[in-house]
Amino acid sequence: MPGNTFGTLFRVTTWGESHGPALGAIIDGCPPNLSLTEKDIQNELDRRKPGQNDVGTARKEGDKVKILSGIFNGKTLGTPISLIIENKDQRSRDYSKIKDLYRPGHADYSFDLKYGVRDYRGGGRSSGRETVGRVMAGAIAKKYLKQGWKTEITGYTTQVGPIKAQKFEKSFIEKSSLRCADPNQSKKMEEYVLGAKKDGDSVGGIAEFRVKNTPPALGEPVFDKLQADLGKALFSIATVKGVEFGKGFESALLKGSENNDELTTKAGQITTKTNNAGGIYGGISIGTDLILKTAIKPASSIIKKQQSVNNKGKSVDVQVEGRHDACILPRFIPVAESMIALVLIDHALRQRALEDNN
Amino acid sequence: MPGNTFGTLFRVTTWGESHGPALGAIIDGCPPNLSLTEKDIQNELDRRKPGQNDVGTARKEGDKVKILSGIFNGKTLGTPISLIIENKDQRSRDYSKIKDLYRPGHADYSFDLKYGVRDYRGGGRSSGRETVGRVMAGAIAKKYLKQGWKTEITGYTTQVGPIKAQKFEKSFIEKSSLRCADPNQSKKMEEYVLGAKKDGDSVGGIAEFRVKNTPPALGEPVFDKLQADLGKALFSIATVKGVEFGKGFESALLKGSENNDELTTKAGQITTKTNNAGGIYGGISIGTDLILKTAIKPASSIIKKQQSVNNKGKSVDVQVEGRHDACILPRFIPVAESMIALVLIDHALRQRALEDNN
Amino acid sequence: MPGNTFGTLFRVTTWGESHGPALGAIIDGCPPNLSLTEKDIQNELDRRKPGQNDVGTARKEGDKVKILSGIFNGKTLGTPISLIIENKDQRSRDYSKIKDLYRPGHADYSFDLKYGVRDYRGGGRSSGRETVGRVMAGAIAKKYLKQGWKTEITGYTTQVGPIKAQKFEKSFIEKSSLRCADPNQSKKMEEYVLGAKKDGDSVGGIAEFRVKNTPPALGEPVFDKLQADLGKALFSIATVKGVEFGKGFESALLKGSENNDELTTKAGQITTKTNNAGGIYGGISIGTDLILKTAIKPASSIIKKQQSVNNKGKSVDVQVEGRHDACILPRFIPVAESMIALVLIDHALRQRALEDNN
Amino acid sequence: MPGNTFGTLFRVTTWGESHGPALGAIIDGCPPNLSLTEKDIQNELDRRKPGQNDVGTARKEGDKVKILSGIFNGKTLGTPISLIIENKDQRSRDYSKIKDLYRPGHADYSFDLKYGVRDYRGGGRSSGRETVGRVMAGAIAKKYLKQGWKTEITGYTTQVGPIKAQKFEKSFIEKSSLRCADPNQSKKMEEYVLGAKKDGDSVGGIAEFRVKNTPPALGEPVFDKLQADLGKALFSIATVKGVEFGKGFESALLKGSENNDELTTKAGQITTKTNNAGGIYGGISIGTDLILKTAIKPASSIIKKQQSVNNKGKSVDVQVEGRHDACILPRFIPVAESMIALVLIDHALRQRALEDNN
C-alpha cells in the first residue's frame, strides 16, 4: 500500500523527486471558504529553505509555490488544492560516480532493495527536499487552526550536540541561526556546528515543540490517540530518531504520585496543575498545551571519508560531495511544525464529525 | 473518524469496555491456510494476564479466548477472524462514589469532554484491559511472521525507576517478575517496585525491543516509513511517553561520522557494521535487527491521596481503590511486542503487493 | 486488502461463517448519546429472518442479537458497538457429499480459486446469512438518520419474473409476502413464486427504494459521489445484478430537454419540478427523494438437477438440497435498506466534518 | 472525508477545475520497473479529447500530458507519478451572466449547497473535464494489466436514443464516431445525434464493456466484491445512471435454472458454459470475460431554453451557451474503460498481498 498520503479527513499527498522537474502536494479535504494566497504558503516555505545561514547548506533553492487548483477568488473551494514548486536549477551533472554507490546512513541501499530501481540524483524521493510538500500543506493547516482556535505551534532547538539551551526567549527563535530560544547558547551551538562543518562532519540535536490553544477533545482511542498520530507524523520525517511527550523518558524515573497531573479549576474551566503528560490524557487533548520533543540524528551526508559498498557488494570509499547541512535542526523545525499542524487539523475535522450540532 | 482499527492489509479492530460483557478483536486480512488454534492465542494472552506476581495487580482474570469465525479445520480461511473473551467476573459494585469523579492521569475527564458520556466502571474503553484485543491479534501476526521469515520479537525491561539492567540473559526474561534480562538487577527492580507499592504508589520504567530476522524491504515512504508506523503503534498504548530507535536521543550527541552505519558484506549479503539506526534506513528495513526503546510512565491508579475535581469542577480528594499494577512493565511488554508484530505483518503484506512474481 | 469493513466515518465490520459458532458486526464511529436497545436492532433483524412465509425458506433461525459493547445505560458511548448472533442450530450434518463440489451460480469455485480453502458448510462466508451483520448495523444507522433528519427509507418489490406492480399502497408493503406495495399483483407474484418452487426452481425480480427526507449536501465528488457509494453498497449484496438511479436505463431514450430536472422554488426552498435524476446532482443530494432500483437474480440454490464439476474438474450432477428461498426479494429488501442507511449516515458524518459551526 | 482519491493499493488522486491553470493526477502505488512514457498516456488522452467529430463538442483542447515525477530513465520508480495537463486556452470570458444561475441537471445548485462557494467557470470541479485525470491514470493501469495478464478492456456503444446496435465488428469501434461496433447502426445513431444537435438538444445511450483475460481471483468479499468496486467506479462518472452485470435487469425475468452458469472444464481449466453472471461469482472473478453495461443520460448542457432559478431562488430562463457534446458516449467510453482498469489493477495488487509465494 502506497505511503505518500497523510491524514484521513484533511488529506495530504506529496510527490516529487529531488532532481525531477517539480515537487508538489495535493490537499484534499480542506474546508471551503478559507482565505488563502500563495503568500500564506510561501512564508512557511521560506522558513524551511536552504541557504539561510552558515549552519545549513549553501545551496540556494528559490522555491516558489504555485497554486494550480482548489482556490477561486482567494478562497478555498473545498476541492483538491494542488501546489507545485518547479525545480529551476536542474543542472545536468555527471552522476556516474555515485549511481552504483550506497552512501552510509542514506536510503540508497534500502530503496534498491525495496524497489529494484532508484533515482540516484540527489537522493530522489528519499531526499529531504521531499519535505517541501509537507511545509506547503502545513501552512494551510496552520492558517485554519489559527483562525478557528487561535492555535499556535512553536518549535525551537533545545540541544545541539552536548550544548543545551538554558532559557526561553520566544522572540529570539526566528533570529537564531539554529532556531534556539536562548541567545547565549545559540551562539555556542553555532560555533559547535561550524567546528564540525570544518571537519566535514555533521551534528545532531533536540528540538522541542509547544502548542498553545490546542483544540480540545482531539484524538480517537484506542489506536488513533492524539500522541499516536503525532508520533507517526514526526517519525515520518527521516531525521527523527526519538519522540517524547511531556516528561517523556524522564517519567520512567518518577512515581505515580509525582507524575500524575492533578486536576483543578481555573476561570471556571477544568485544567491541570502540572503538565507532565504533555497535554494528552487517554489519547485525547484537553485544551492545555501540547509539549513534545524530538531527537534528530546528525545529517548522513558528510564530506569525511567513510567506508561502504557498491551495488555489487564491493567495498568502496565514500565522500559525499556537495553543499550539505552541517546541522539540519533549524530547517527541520518548520517541517515538524507542519506535521503537527496536519495532525491537529485532521483530528479537529474528525472530532467535528462526532458532534451533533442540530 | 473512528480509531479502533489498526493496519491496512492485516487489519485489526478491537472492541469492549473493561466491565462490559466481553471484549474482542476482529482480524480482517489474515492470509488463508495458516494453522491456528486457540492455544496459539492463549499462550500470548497468558503472558499479559494480571496476577502473575507481586509487582502486578492481584486481580485474577481467567481470560480465555474463543475463536468465533475465520478458522475451519484448524486453518485460517482468509475471512475475518473473530476472537472473544468473556468477562466472567462482572460483580455489581457500587460505582456511585467514582462516577462523577475525574482521576488524575486517567481519561475520565478527557472522555467526558470528547463524548459527553462515559462508562466509568473500571475505566470503560480507556482501561488497559482493552489491550487483550491487541495481544490476541498480535499472537496471529507473530505466528505468521515466524513461519514466513523466522522473525522473533523480544521485549525486556531495561530500567525501573533509577535501576538499570546491566547485562542481557535472554533466557531469564520470562523468569523475571519484571521481564528483565538481568537476574541481579531484576531483583533490585522488584524491591523498588514493592517499596513503592507499600506506599500506595507506582513506578515507571523503560523497555527495549529487538526483532531478529526482520523481513527486509518493509516500510512505505514518505509517510508510512517503518519507524513511523512503529512509532504510532507504540504511542497508541496509553502508558508510553517516549519512543526511540537505535541510538535515539543519544544520537543528538553524535557526529555524522560516528552515527552513520557503514555498509559491508557478510556471507555475500550486504549489511551494516554497526546498528546505530536501529535497522531502518530511509524508512525501510534492510533485514538487520530492529532495535527500539519505550519509556513507560508510572501507572496512574494509585492508592495515595491526590487532589482533583469532579464533573462539576468542584475540588475533591481521590484515592483510587482496587488492586493495581505497581509497575506495568512486565504486562506491557507482550502488548508492545504484539503491536510491533502487527506493524511488521501489515508491511510485509504491503510489500508483497509491490512484488511482481510472474 | 481485506474487504469486510464498510464506510469511512460510520464504519461497519462484519464477520462470521454461515455454520460457525456465531456471526456479528462491529460499528465503529457511531456518535455518542444515541439511545439504543437490543429491541431497536431486533426489529430490523426480524424483517430479514427466514421462515416468514412460503415464498422464502422454511428454515427457522431464531436470530437474537446481543449487544456486547459500546452501550452504557441505554446510550451509545462513541466506542465500538459489538453485536453478535449465536448460531443455535449447528447440527452436525454430513457434508462429505458437497465438500468437493462446485455449485453453479455459487461462490464455491471462486472461493477455492482465491483462498485455496473454504468452509463448505452452508456456503461459509459467502452465504447470504452474512447479511445479518449489515441489517444490525443498518438498524442503528436508520435510527440515527430518523432522529436527526426524519429520514425514512422504504424498499418494495416492483417486479417478480414478468409480473409488475401497478400501484403503490405503502401500508401494504409489510403485509405482502413479497414486500410488494400492490395487493393484487402481490398475489400474482406469490403464485408465480410458488409455481417455480414446486418445480424446484427460483425466480428473480426488481425492487425499488425511496428515501424521504434525505439529508442534503451528501456526497463527495469526484469519486465518492453519493450514487457511487450507493452503487457500491448495493452491488456488494451478492444477489444484485443491476442498479439504476431515477430514470436509469430509460434515460438512454430521453433527450436532455426531457431528462433535465428544472429547478423551482417551493415554500422558499429550492427544489426540482421533476425527479428524473433520482435526487442526486453532480454526486450530491439536494434533499429531494432518493429513488433507485435494483435487479435481483434468481437464487442460485435450486433443487432442480444441474451440471457442474467437482474440485478435480470432473463432471458431476448437482441438486442443491435443503430449504431454500424460491424468491429472495422480501428478505433482500431490509438488507438493501440497511446498506442505503449505512451510506447515508456515513456521508452525513463526512459532511459534518466540512461544516464550520463556530 | 474528501473524495478525490480512488483505489487502495493503486491509488489515484485527481485535482483541477475546468478553467483553472491546470488539471492533474497523482498515482501512488504503481509498482516499480514498468516502462512508461508520455506517449503511453497521450494515446488514451487522445481517445477522450473533444473535437474528434461532429457528435461531440467543437472545442479543441490540445491536452498534452507532462510527467513530473515517479519515472526515471523510462521506468516507474515505485514513487508517486505526477501527471499534469496545462489549460492553454484560458480566455478571460465574462461569467457575470452565469455565476448566480443554477443550470438544470448540473451541479451548480448542489455545489453551492454543499460548499457555500463554487468556481462557476465551465462547471469548475464538476465539469466533465475532470475525467482527464482518470484517463491518464487508467492508461498506466491498462499497460500494467496488459503486460501482466494480457488483459484487454473494450467499450462500445450499443444504443443511442432508441437505435440499437445489431452486430459486433470489433475493428469498427475506433472508426465509428460513436464508438459503435455496428457500421450500419453507427450511421443511424450519428444521424439521430445530429438531429438532436440541430434542435439544441442532447441524447443518451448505452455502452457495453467486455474484459478479455480478466485476472482471476479478484474481489474481496463481503463489501469489496469485484462488482461492488466496479459499480462504484462507474457510478462515480457523473453521466452514468445505470449499471448492470451480465444479464443484469433481464435476470429478473429468469428462473434459477436458466440463469445459473453451469461449470465445465475446457483445456484442463474450469470455466462456465454460459456467462449470464458477467464473469463474477460471490464477488470474485474466475478469469472468464467480465461483461457489464452502463446507461448514460443525455448531456445536461443544452442550448434549448429551460426554466430554472438563480441563487436567490428567483425564476430565470437558461440557455447553456457554448460548444457542447450532443452525445457524450464516444468520449465517455475511454473514461469508463479507465475506471474499469483502475479497479482491476487495484484488486490485482490486493490479491497479491494474500498470496504466499515463499
Side-chain angles (χ1 to χ4, degrees), chain B residues 28-33 70 76-80, chain C residues 4 115 117, chain D residues 354:
Chain B
D28 195 16
C30 183
N33 280 308
T76 58
L77 286 165
T79 62
Chain C
N4 296 282
Y115 301 111
V117 57
Chain D
L354 275 190

Side-chain angles (χ1 to χ4, degrees), chain C residues 105-120:
Chain C
H106 277 278
D108 299 345
Y109 171 54
S110 60
F111 264 57
D112 254 14
L113 185 71
K114 183 176 186 73
Y115 301 111
V117 57
R118 121 186 109 92
D119 179 353
Y120 42 76

Side-chain angles (χ1 to χ4, degrees), chain A residues 143-319:
Chain A
K143 185 160 192 193
Y144 195 82
L145 289 163
K146 186 159 201 175
Q147 197 164 291
W149 294 267
K150 303 187 196 304
T151 306
E152 204 183 325
I153 304 164
T154 310
Y156 42 95
T157 297
T158 57
Q159 186 176 338
V160 166
I163 302 160
K164 299 182 187 186
Q166 286 156 4
K167 59 179 185 172
F168 181 79
E169 283 183 23
K170 194 179 161 189
S171 61
F172 190 72
I173 297 171
E174 295 296 310
K175 295 177 196 151
S176 159
S177 62
L178 284 150
R179 290 207 158 84
C180 173
D182 177 337
N184 290 335
Q185 296 303 87
S186 176
K187 186 125 201 72
K188 290 190 195 155
M189 289 174 180
E190 186 170 325
E191 284 160 17
Y192 183 80
V193 173
L194 297 177
K197 190 178 177 180
K198 199 180 286 177
D199 297 344
D201 217 334
S202 64
V203 305
I206 295 177
E208 186 168 289
F209 298 87
R210 278 181 179 261
V211 182
K212 296 261 169 228
N213 299 320
T214 312
L218 305 195
E220 302 287 334
V222 297
F223 294 115
D224 298 351
K225 294 191 168 99
L226 192 57
Q227 74 270 33
D229 281 343
L230 286 166
K232 169 164 177 158
L234 293 164
F235 277 124
S236 78
I237 309 170
T239 194
V240 173
K241 300 306 288 183
V243 173
E244 56 181 16
F245 291 87
K247 288 282 178 196
F249 276 86
E250 201 187 322
S251 60
L253 294 163
L254 300 178
K255 300 274 173 64
S257 58
E258 299 162 325
N259 186 63
N260 281 345
D261 294 319
E262 293 188 323
L263 291 143
T264 186
T265 306
K266 248 181 230 164
Q269 179 69 36
I270 291 175
T271 185
T272 55
K273 295 184 192 171
T274 50
N275 191 348
N276 296 328
I280 304 174
Y281 302 86
I284 299 165
S285 65
I286 61 164
T288 51
D289 288 4
L290 289 191
I291 306 170
L292 54 90
K293 284 206 191 91
T294 54
I296 303 307
K297 68 171 184 179
S300 300
S301 291
I302 56 175
I303 295 171
K304 258 194 173 169
K305 191 186 290 183
Q306 303 168 88
Q307 287 196 313
S308 192
V309 298
N310 65 16
N311 62 8
K312 312 288 182 225
K314 225 189 105 183
S315 270
V316 289
D317 281 348
V318 180
Q319 278 182 289

Side-chain angles (χ1 to χ4, degrees), chain C residues 263-265 270, chain D residues 100-102 308-317:
Chain C
L263 291 143
T264 185
T265 306
I270 291 174
Chain D
D100 301 329
L101 206 83
Y102 295 148
S308 191
V309 298
N310 66 15
N311 61 9
K312 312 289 183 223
K314 226 190 104 184
S315 270
V316 290
D317 281 347

Side-chain angles (χ1 to χ4, degrees), chain A residues 1-6 8-9 12 14 102-107 109-111 113-115 125 130 134 159-162 192 196 201-206 216-225 227-229 231-232 235-238 240-245 248-249 251-257 259-265 269-270 273 276-278 280-282 284-286 293-300 302 304-311 313-314 339 350-351 353-354, chain B residues 1-6 8-9 12 14 102-107 109-111 113-115 125 130 134 159-162 192 196 201-206 216-225 227-229 231-232 235-238 240-245 248-249 251-257 259-265 269-270 273 276-278 280-282 284-286 293-300 302 304-311 313-314 339 350-351 353-354:
Chain A
M1 195 173 181
N4 295 283
T5 297
F6 188 82
T8 58
L9 296 189
V12 180
T14 71
Y102 294 148
R103 294 167 299 165
H106 277 279
Y109 171 54
S110 60
F111 264 57
L113 185 69
K114 183 175 187 73
Y115 300 111
R125 184 71 181 145
E130 159 262 317
R134 303 173 186 237
Q159 186 176 338
V160 166
Y192 183 80
D201 217 334
S202 64
V203 305
I206 295 177
L218 305 195
E220 302 287 334
V222 297
F223 294 115
D224 298 351
K225 294 191 168 99
Q227 74 270 33
D229 281 343
K232 169 164 177 158
F235 277 124
S236 78
I237 309 170
V240 173
K241 300 306 288 183
V243 173
E244 56 181 16
F245 291 87
F249 276 86
S251 60
L253 294 163
L254 300 178
K255 300 274 173 64
S257 58
N259 186 63
N260 281 345
D261 294 319
E262 293 188 323
L263 291 143
T264 186
T265 306
Q269 179 69 36
I270 291 175
K273 295 184 192 171
N276 296 328
I280 304 174
Y281 302 86
I284 299 165
S285 65
I286 61 164
K293 284 206 191 91
T294 54
I296 303 307
K297 68 171 184 179
S300 300
I302 56 175
K304 258 194 173 169
K305 191 186 290 183
Q306 303 168 88
Q307 287 196 313
S308 192
V309 298
N310 65 16
N311 62 8
K314 225 189 105 183
M339 293 309 298
R350 289 168 78 165
Q351 174 59 12
L354 274 189
Chain B
M1 195 176 182
N4 295 282
T5 296
F6 188 83
T8 56
L9 296 189
V12 179
T14 70
Y102 295 148
R103 295 166 298 165
H106 277 279
Y109 171 54
S110 59
F111 264 57
L113 185 71
K114 183 176 187 72
Y115 301 111
R125 185 70 182 147
E130 159 264 315
R134 303 173 185 236
Q159 186 175 337
V160 166
Y192 183 80
D201 217 333
S202 65
V203 305
I206 295 176
L218 305 195
E220 300 287 335
V222 294
F223 294 114
D224 299 351
K225 294 190 168 99
Q227 73 270 33
D229 281 342
K232 168 164 179 158
F235 276 123
S236 78
I237 308 171
V240 172
K241 299 306 290 182
V243 172
E244 57 182 17
F245 291 86
F249 277 84
S251 61
L253 295 164
L254 300 178
K255 302 273 173 65
S257 58
N259 186 63
N260 280 345
D261 294 318
E262 293 188 323
L263 289 142
T264 186
T265 306
Q269 179 69 36
I270 291 175
K273 294 183 192 172
N276 295 328
I280 304 174
Y281 301 87
I284 298 165
S285 66
I286 61 164
K293 283 206 192 91
T294 55
I296 303 307
K297 70 171 181 178
S300 301
I302 57 174
K304 257 195 173 168
K305 192 186 291 183
Q306 302 169 87
Q307 287 196 311
S308 191
V309 298
N310 66 15
N311 62 9
K314 226 190 102 183
M339 292 309 299
R350 289 169 78 166
Q351 174 59 12
L354 274 190

